[in-house]
Coordinates of all heavy atoms in Angstrom, one line a residue:
E1 N 0.8 -1.2 0.0 CA 0.0 0.0 0.0 C 0.9 1.3 0.0 O 0.6 2.2 -0.7 CB -0.9 0.0 1.2 CG -2.0 -1.0 1.2 CD -1.6 -2.4 1.6 OE1 -0.5 -2.6 2.1 OE2 -2.3 -3.4 1.2
A2 N 2.0 1.2 0.9 CA 2.8 2.4 1.0 C 3.5 2.7 -0.4 O 3.7 3.8 -0.8 CB 3.8 2.2 2.1
T3 N 3.9 1.6 -1.0 CA 4.6 1.8 -2.4 C 3.7 2.3 -3.5 O 4.1 3.2 -4.2 CB 5.3 0.4 -2.7 OG1 6.2 0.0 -1.7 CG2 6.0 0.5 -4.1
V4 N 2.5 1.7 -3.5 CA 1.4 2.3 -4.4 C 1.3 3.8 -4.3 O 1.3 4.6 -5.2 CB 0.1 1.6 -4.3 CG1 -0.9 2.4 -5.0 CG2 0.2 0.2 -4.7
L5 N 1.2 4.2 -3.0 CA 1.0 5.7 -2.8 C 2.2 6.5 -3.1 O 2.2 7.5 -3.8 CB 0.7 6.0 -1.3 CG 0.5 7.4 -0.9 CD1 -0.6 8.0 -1.8 CD2 0.2 7.7 0.5
C6 N 3.5 6.0 -2.7 CA 4.7 6.7 -3.1 C 4.8 6.9 -4.6 O 5.1 8.0 -5.1 CB 5.9 6.0 -2.6 SG 6.1 6.1 -0.7
R7 N 4.5 5.8 -5.3 CA 4.6 5.9 -6.8 C 3.5 6.9 -7.4 O 3.8 7.6 -8.4 CB 4.5 4.5 -7.4 CG 5.8 3.6 -7.1 CD 5.7 2.3 -7.7 NE 6.8 1.5 -7.3 CZ 7.0 0.2 -7.7 NH1 6.1 -0.4 -8.4 NH2 8.1 -0.4 -7.3
T8 N 2.3 6.9 -6.9 CA 1.3 7.7 -7.3 C 1.7 9.2 -7.2 O 1.4 10.0 -8.0 CB -0.1 7.5 -6.5 OG1 -0.4 6.1 -6.7 CG2 -1.2 8.3 -7.0
L9 N 2.4 9.5 -6.0 CA 2.8 10.8 -5.8 C 4.0 11.2 -6.5 O 4.5 12.3 -6.3 CB 3.0 11.0 -4.2 CG 1.7 10.9 -3.4 CD1 2.0 11.0 -1.9 CD2 0.6 11.9 -3.7
G10 N 4.6 10.3 -7.2 CA 5.9 10.6 -7.9 C 7.1 10.6 -7.0 O 8.0 11.3 -7.2
C11 N 6.9 9.8 -5.9 CA 8.0 9.9 -4.8 C 8.8 8.6 -4.8 O 9.5 8.4 -3.7 CB 7.3 10.1 -3.5 SG 6.5 11.8 -3.4
G12 N 8.9 7.8 -5.8 CA 9.7 6.6 -5.7 C 9.0 5.5 -4.9 O 7.8 5.2 -5.1
D13 N 9.8 4.8 -4.1 CA 9.2 3.7 -3.4 C 9.2 4.0 -1.8 O 9.8 5.0 -1.4 CB 10.1 2.4 -3.6 CG 9.9 1.9 -5.0 OD1 8.8 2.0 -5.5 OD2 10.9 1.4 -5.6
A14 N 8.5 3.1 -1.0 CA 8.4 3.4 0.4 C 9.6 2.9 1.1 O 10.1 1.8 1.0 CB 7.2 2.7 0.9
L15 N 10.1 3.8 2.0 CA 11.3 3.5 2.9 C 10.8 3.0 4.3 O 11.3 2.1 4.8 CB 12.2 4.7 3.0 CG 13.2 5.1 2.0 CD1 13.9 6.3 2.4 CD2 14.1 3.9 1.7
Q16 N 9.9 3.8 4.9 CA 9.5 3.6 6.2 C 7.9 3.8 6.3 O 7.4 4.5 5.5 CB 10.1 4.5 7.2 CG 11.6 4.2 7.4 CD 12.2 5.2 8.3 OE1 12.7 6.3 7.8 NE2 12.2 5.1 9.6
R17 N 7.3 3.2 7.3 CA 5.9 3.4 7.6 C 5.6 3.9 9.0 O 5.2 3.1 9.8 CB 5.1 2.1 7.2 CG 5.1 1.9 5.6 CD 4.5 0.6 5.4 NE 5.4 -0.6 5.7 CZ 5.1 -1.6 6.4 NH1 3.9 -1.8 6.9 NH2 6.0 -2.5 6.6
P18 N 5.9 5.2 9.3 CA 5.7 5.6 10.7 C 4.2 5.7 11.0 O 3.4 5.7 10.0 CB 6.4 7.0 10.7 CG 6.3 7.5 9.2 CD 6.4 6.3 8.5
S19 N 3.9 5.7 12.3 CA 2.5 5.9 12.7 C 2.2 7.2 13.3 O 3.2 7.8 14.0 CB 2.1 4.7 13.7 OG 2.2 3.5 13.0
F20 N 1.0 7.7 13.2 CA 0.6 8.9 13.8 C -0.8 8.8 14.5 O -1.5 7.8 14.3 CB 0.5 10.0 12.7 CG 1.7 10.3 11.9 CD1 2.1 9.6 10.8 CD2 2.6 11.3 12.3 CE1 3.2 9.8 10.1 CE2 3.8 11.6 11.6 CZ 4.1 10.8 10.5
G21 N -1.1 9.9 15.1 CA -2.5 9.9 15.8 C -3.5 10.3 14.7 O -3.1 11.0 13.7
H22 N -4.7 9.9 14.7 CA -5.7 10.3 13.8 C -6.1 11.7 14.1 O -6.4 12.1 15.2 CB -7.0 9.4 14.0 CG -6.8 8.0 13.4 ND1 -6.7 7.8 12.0 CD2 -6.7 6.8 14.0 CE1 -6.6 6.5 11.8 NE2 -6.5 5.9 12.9
T23 N -6.1 12.6 13.2 CA -6.4 14.0 13.3 C -7.5 14.5 12.6 O -8.0 15.7 12.7 CB -5.2 14.9 13.0 OG1 -4.8 14.5 11.6 CG2 -4.0 14.6 14.0
L24 N -8.1 13.7 11.7 CA -9.2 14.1 10.8 C -10.4 13.3 11.0 O -10.3 12.2 11.5 CB -8.8 14.0 9.4 CG -7.6 14.8 8.9 CD1 -7.1 14.5 7.6 CD2 -8.0 16.3 8.9

């Protein structure tokens, strides 16, 4: 999933998958 998104954004491949709190 992370790689699909990175490529869609033109950002290459996924290196890391940090976690955050939900804010929206």
Side-chain angles (χ1 to χ4, degrees):
E1 291 76 19
T3 298
V4 168
L5 179 60
C6 287
R7 290 181 181 178
T8 301
L9 295 175
C11 292
D13 290 325
L15 280 179
Q16 290 173 271
R17 288 173 285 130
S19 297
F20 299 88
H22 287 288
T23 53
L24 297 169

